[in-house]
Each structure stands twice: as C-alpha cells, then as structure tokens.
Amino acid sequence: MASPPPQPEPPSAVEGENSEAPETDLGPPPALPASLQGIAKPGKGRRGKKSLINRGPTALPKNRGNGFEEYFADPPMTPDEANEEKNEIYSPYIPFTERIQSCIQRFRSRRRLQGDRTLYFNEYLFLGGVDCNPGAFGGLGRQDLKDLTPAERREATATDIVYGTTAAGDRFYNGDDEAWTVDFAGVAAGFISVSLVQLTSFEHQRMMTGIDTVINFLRYILHHDVCPEFEDDVKAALRVCDTACVEWPMVRKLYTVLPGNFNLAAADLFCPAETAESAWSFQQYKRPDDFDPKSVFFSAIALMDEPELFGRICTKEPKLEREFTCTIELVEVFRPSEDMIKRVKSLVIGDNPFEHIPVGKAIFKQGTIEDDWETPAFPWPIAEDTMTLFFDDNILECMAPGMKATATIYELDAGLRFVKSVEIIVPSFYTYLPQELMRGYKEPRDSDRPAPSIHDPDAEEKQHAAAAKDG
C-alpha cells in the first residue's frame, strides 16, 4: 500500500517572527586590548616515557622498587655487560680512584636514593674524601645529552668526583699517601659513630636506614669486584656495620637504665644530699617507689662474691674519700652467677620478700674519646691498670667489650668505687675522622687587605666602611 505524501509542517511562531525581521549585519567582533590578547602557543606533544635503553643498560627498572628491599638482588648481566665491567670499567689496570668513581656513579643509577638516604650516602662519601657537590657550571641541557650514549650521559651528569690529584685541594682525597689512606672500615666506623648520630638525632629507625645504605653500597662493591685488592677491608667495614646494628641499641638502653639501683643507693648513702639529687644527667631513669638505699646497698655487698670488700665495708662506716672524672674503656664483664641469682630471689627482709636486682662487675681500663676539641690527656687516676665498678645485671647485659664512657666516679675509703654520673657513652667501633673538621673548610686566598691586629683592631671595619663609601 502506498502512503500519502507527507504534508509540510506549518511555520511556527518563532519562524514567522524571524522571517519577518530584517537581516542585520553585525560586522566583525570588537578588537580586544593588547593586555587581553592571548598568544597562540604550539601544542606540546605528550612526552614519551624514558625507556630503559636511554637510561643505560645497568639502570634500575621502575617496577623493581628502590633497590634497598630486604630480598633485593641485582639482575644478571649479559655477557657483553659483564665483559665491559671486568675488562674496561673495573679492570685492575685502571687506577683505584677511577674505578671507585665509576662504582659510585653506577650504584646511584642502580638504586633509588630518596629522602634521607641521599643525605646519608652523601655524608658517607664526604668522609671518604669524595666530592659530592654539583659543579656551578656543570648543567647540561636535554639537547646536549641527546647524542650521548648512556655511559657518557651518566658520566656527564655525575656529581661524585674522586680527584686523586692536587685538583682536590685540601678538602678531598688528593692522592697524597702521607695524608690519606684507603680505609673502608675506618670511614664506615667514623660515619656510623659520629656523623649518622648527628644527622638522625639518635633516632633508632633513621640510624638503621643510614647503616643499611652503607651496607648496600659495600655489598655492591663486593658483588661487582670493584677493588679486589681491598676486599678484606670492605668485609671489615661490613662487620663494623653489623656491630653497629647490635651495639647502638645497647647504648640507647644504657642511657635509660643507668645508674641502676646499686649506684643510686651508694650515691644516696655516701654523697651529700644535694649532690645525690642532681648528680645524674640521665633524665629517663626513674627512681623506684619505696626505694630503700641502705637495704639495696648492703644486701648487694653481702650477696656478691667479694669477701674482702664486704669485710672492709662492714668493719667500719665507709666515708667518701675522693672524686675524679676519667674516660674508661670496657675490658670484661662478669655477670652474676646462677647461684647468686637464686640467693637474691630468696632474700627476705622482715616478713616481706625483697625484690632486688643481682649485681655484677665490669673491668675498665683507661680510654680516649676523640672529638673536634683538643682535649689534653689526663693521667690515670688510680695506681692499678684496671678499675672495677659494680652495676645491676640489667645494665651489664647492655655492655660490650670496647665500649667507652666519660664518667665521674666516687671512691670510698673502704676501696669501693661507684659511678656518680656519665657524660657520654660510645660503642666499641667509635672513630672520629679528621675529615669531620673539613666540613666547612675554605681554601685560603691571598689578600692585600691588612688583617686586624693589636695595633689596629678595627682594620676590618674600616675596610668595610671605605668600601661602602666608594660603592
């Protein structure tokens, strides 16, 4: 069947109005002021992702973490890459300074040093005489780097320089065998025992991060056989790091448990009242509730295996004889025996069991703690070569041979010595490197200006005033 042809729709009112209105020529749009006119900018194409090839054959893939994970392992190299490392980059015929510089640069490309790790690694390298400061005019543009190979690009953008020549000046390693020596263990010990403490404010987690950064770098050196002539030294540095992971928590705990009940009781009994109250600089130590210094002190003396000392103290009333401050180094620790621990647990005073911590002893010798001050050497204050001090067992378990401390010690006329206060405690690997003093060093420059002297103490102010007047 055929449908009828469609009928045209009647014009709407709007169309009717428009059809009746005359057409008006609006003309070109008004010109905008110059300040409001925009400038057409060519559209930028989307930046392509930087491929692994452009970043170099040893670059860390972006989906592989940061290289500091617990079970991270460097991926295997191709035969060409291994041959290049063995015969070109780390060849034994290449000077050590060039090999270690290449190692540092390649390590940075294989790890993502982010946040505090960058700061820790730079400080560690500085103590080793490596210049990590970017050059003032060393910036290269994208176009300059475009035609370089990945190895050339890494070398051109590197900020770590091992000079090995007189160009280093006096602040960095300059190859002078009389002033410098290759010592991986010493640098690791100096960084962990001094610089890292200042950088982390002695916070445990941050210190462990700094130690882990150094361990990762040392293992990278061994894995890639960078300097086989110093392999034993690198392994010694790793042992220093392992020791630091054990001893720094012990030092932290020592600051909280010292002086202990025995030394606190001795200070209360034999020191003046104002001295005993203000002696301890360890604010974290809390005096036990219902603390009885007399029962604590004499029960410890009676139960420890020191019959001669017990006889001298019990036959007469001990008195304070002298006070001295010295630096001591721990030689050996004698913790309470099992028999003594049983006797302490079975101790009863009156009708109530007495809760007391077993007391042992530690043997110390004269020690030295170096820092950035010139400290004169003081004579050993006693006639014997070693000094015996007594501590609670929970303090002795935090001590390791080789630890050092600067302490103020009281001595009774009965021969007993006890600790009044401790200024500082350092681990057994503590090392202060001379490079610490070069942190703010500036090379001297010749100047024709007269320096201030006793004859003209205001010479410098006069020079500034004259320069301001002329300028």
Side-chain angles (χ1 to χ4, degrees):
M1 296 177 60
S3 60
Q7 299 295 329
E9 296 182 1
S12 62
V14 176
E15 290 178 352
E17 294 176 359
N18 291 340
S19 61
E20 296 177 359
E23 295 183 0
T24 306
D25 187 9
L26 299 179
L32 296 176
S35 59
L36 299 180
Q37 291 183 2
I39 300 176
K41 297 182 179 179
K44 291 186 178 180
R46 184 179 178 183
R47 289 179 58 185
K49 293 184 178 180
K50 201 172 184 181
S51 66
L52 190 63
I53 297 177
N54 292 332
R55 294 167 58 219
T58 61
L60 181 66
K62 293 185 177 181
N63 60 348
R64 298 292 179 87
N66 56 21
F68 293 96
E69 290 78 11
E70 182 177 1
Y71 298 105
F72 175 84
D74 286 310
M77 295 183 293
T78 64
D80 292 338
E81 294 170 357
N83 182 67
E84 181 187 17
E85 279 201 354
K86 182 178 181 180
N87 298 321
E88 297 182 18
I89 300 176
Y90 302 137
S91 171
Y93 299 103
I94 296 178
F96 169 75
T97 54
E98 297 182 17
R99 281 180 283 153
I100 196 64
Q101 176 174 295
S102 300
C103 173
I104 295 171
Q105 296 171 1
R106 294 170 75 88
F107 175 78
R108 284 190 187 272
S109 68
R110 292 296 301 161
R111 302 292 186 271
R112 290 197 179 91
L113 293 165
Q114 300 172 338
D116 290 340
R117 287 190 186 270
T118 303
L119 176 63
Y120 302 152
F121 190 59
N122 288 344
E123 288 295 321
Y124 167 72
L125 294 180
F126 168 76
L127 290 181
V130 180
D131 186 3
C132 302
N133 299 318
F137 305 99
L140 296 176
R142 187 183 301 274
Q143 191 65 29
D144 299 328
L145 301 175
K146 184 177 180 181
D147 299 330
L148 300 180
T149 64
E152 293 173 341
R153 189 181 302 113
R154 181 172 53 248
E155 184 175 354
T157 57
T159 58
D160 306 299
I161 303 176
V162 183
Y163 294 99
T165 62
T166 55
D170 296 328
R171 192 181 181 196
F172 302 105
Y173 176 70
N174 55 14
D176 186 359
D177 294 337
E178 295 183 0
W180 292 86
T181 181
V182 178
D183 187 1
F184 284 92
V187 173
F191 170 72
I192 297 173
S193 57
V194 179
S195 298
L196 188 60
V197 178
Q198 300 171 356
L199 294 174
T200 61
S201 301
F202 206 30
E203 294 181 15
H204 175 72
Q205 189 59 42
R206 296 176 65 192
M207 290 194 66
M208 293 300 106
T209 301
I211 296 173
D212 178 67
T213 304
V214 176
I215 291 176
N216 201 300
F217 175 66
L218 295 174
R219 288 177 176 171
Y220 184 89
I221 293 176
L222 293 177
H223 178 67
H224 292 271
D225 201 19
V226 177
C227 47
E229 67 272 29
F230 299 112
E231 181 178 352
D232 294 339
D233 191 20
V234 175
K235 291 181 178 179
L238 284 172
R239 290 194 293 270
V240 170
C241 296
D242 294 338
T243 304
C245 294
V246 175
E247 290 193 8
W248 269 130
M250 297 169 67
V251 172
R252 289 175 58 88
K253 188 175 180 180
L254 279 175
Y255 277 108
T256 61
V257 297
L258 280 169
N261 291 350
F262 177 78
N263 286 280
L264 183 62
D268 287 352
L269 291 175
F270 305 108
C271 297
E274 62 276 5
T275 303
E277 292 176 359
S278 61
W280 286 99
S281 57
F282 300 100
Q283 303 297 327
Q284 300 181 20
Y285 183 79
K286 296 182 179 180
R287 179 184 292 265
D289 297 334
D290 301 329
F291 183 71
D292 184 2
K294 191 171 184 179
S295 60
V296 170
F297 179 79
F298 285 100
S299 61
I301 294 294
L303 293 175
M304 68 175 60
D305 297 327
E306 299 289 339
E308 295 182 2
L309 180 62
F310 176 76
R312 291 195 300 267
I313 290 179
C314 294
T315 53
K316 64 176 182 178
E317 183 178 354
K319 294 182 180 180
L320 186 63
E321 187 174 62
R322 62 171 179 154
E323 171 190 357
F324 55 88
T325 300
C326 60
T327 300
I328 53 179
E329 179 180 345
L330 182 61
V331 177
E332 193 173 2
V333 173
F334 295 92
R335 298 185 63 181
S337 61
E338 293 293 334
D339 181 60
M340 181 180 177
I341 295 176
K342 292 180 181 179
R343 282 184 287 168
V344 171
K345 290 182 178 180
S346 61
L347 181 63
V348 176
I349 297 180
D351 297 332
N352 300 321
F354 183 73
E355 295 184 2
H356 180 57
I357 301 176
V359 176
K361 63 181 180 180
I363 309 299
F364 295 89
K365 66 178 181 179
Q366 186 176 13
T368 303
I369 300 178
E370 296 181 344
D371 54 17
D372 52 354
W373 291 90
E374 183 65 27
T375 305
F378 292 99
W380 187 234
I382 61 176
E384 301 86 1
D385 294 334
T386 59
M387 180 188 305
T388 301
L389 297 174
F390 297 92
F391 297 95
D392 297 350
D393 187 45
N394 63 332
I395 297 178
L396 294 176
E397 69 178 0
C398 299
M399 293 184 177
M403 285 185 175
K404 301 175 184 178
T406 300
T408 300
I409 299 172
Y410 278 166
E411 183 176 350
L412 303 180
D413 56 0
L416 175 68
R417 301 184 183 97
F418 61 91
V419 178
K420 169 193 171 186
S421 62
V422 175
E423 297 179 10
I424 185 174
I425 306 172
V426 296
S428 61
F429 55 87
Y430 178 86
T431 304
Y432 188 85
L433 297 174
Q435 182 69 357
E436 290 279 358
L437 301 175
M438 304 298 290
R439 195 174 302 279
Y441 174 79
K442 294 183 179 180
E443 294 284 348
R445 296 180 300 175
D446 294 334
S447 176
D448 55 356
R449 297 180 178 181
S453 64
I454 57 174
H455 304 291
D456 190 5
D458 300 328
E460 192 170 357
E461 286 76 6
K462 293 178 181 178
Q463 295 168 9
H464 292 316
K469 184 177 180 181
D470 296 339

